[in-house]
Amino acid sequence: MESAYRARGYAAGELYERIYSDWLFDMPSLHLAEAHTTAGGRSYLYQLTWPAPAMGGAFGACHGLDVGLVFGTLGAGLGALLIGEQPPADAVLLSQWMQSAWAAFATTGTPGWPEYDTEQRLTQLIDTEPVVTPYPADTTRRVWADRTFNPLPQRPS
């Protein structure tokens, strides 16, 4: 598995973060979309690639960044932490784009990009210039293709 990630150019310090992110977020989501599509459902895959600008960009395109962008809470709460209290113009435009896509999905059933299928694997990359492309991490997708993702254990309350 590690060699597939090294082939994608990840440095030693990035390997753990990328593999862990794939295990926890990306690959279970992808497997769910593929199962849903295979069963006859419609799935729309996206990947937020726009990096959070706060703290010198230390978090990159991190988990949770989409929340402030989708709900337009750029300068408050989690949005302020990741984007900054004074959101840059590109964050405002990206937020408007995402809000439109999510509203379209809620009202029409489509966010404005093609459905995901297991042949073309079209994925919306969300950045300052949103673009639809085949799934961007196909090498690692194949690494995880035969893996099963069991529910994570929950701590007793």
Side-chain angles (χ1 to χ4, degrees):
M1 177 182 293
E2 184 179 322
S3 62
Y5 283 85
R6 286 194 188 278
R8 289 194 63 210
Y10 291 111
E14 298 172 302
L15 281 175
Y16 174 80
E17 179 182 329
R18 186 67 258 160
I19 292 170
Y20 189 76
S21 291
D22 280 351
W23 170 78
L24 185 61
F25 301 114
D26 293 356
M27 294 305 134
S29 297
L30 179 62
H31 283 209
L32 182 61
E34 289 183 346
H36 187 244
T37 298
T38 300
R42 295 183 334 186
S43 298
Y44 297 90
L45 209 61
Y46 78 91
Q47 184 174 24
L48 179 60
T49 56
W50 183 77
M55 294 183 242
F59 291 118
C62 62
H63 178 68
L65 176 58
D66 55 339
V67 175
L69 293 165
V70 168
F71 291 101
T73 55
L74 304 179
L78 183 60
L81 176 68
L82 297 173
I83 299 169
E85 291 183 12
Q86 299 298 319
D90 62 338
V92 173
L93 291 173
L94 186 58
S95 178
Q96 292 168 348
W97 185 92
M98 289 181 75
Q99 288 176 50
S100 293
W102 268 240
F105 182 73
T107 57
T108 69
T110 177
W113 60 82
E115 291 180 34
Y116 181 83
D117 65 48
T118 56
E119 291 178 22
Q120 291 183 304
R121 303 185 190 288
L122 295 178
T123 304
Q124 175 70 60
L125 299 185
I126 301 175
D127 209 319
T128 51
E129 296 286 332
V131 63
V132 174
T133 183
Y135 189 73
D138 199 59
T139 303
T140 51
R141 179 195 64 79
R142 284 185 265 119
V143 167
W144 294 90
D146 296 326
R147 309 238 192 240
T148 301
F149 294 94
N150 296 318
L152 296 175
Q154 295 188 5
R155 297 179 358 188
S157 47

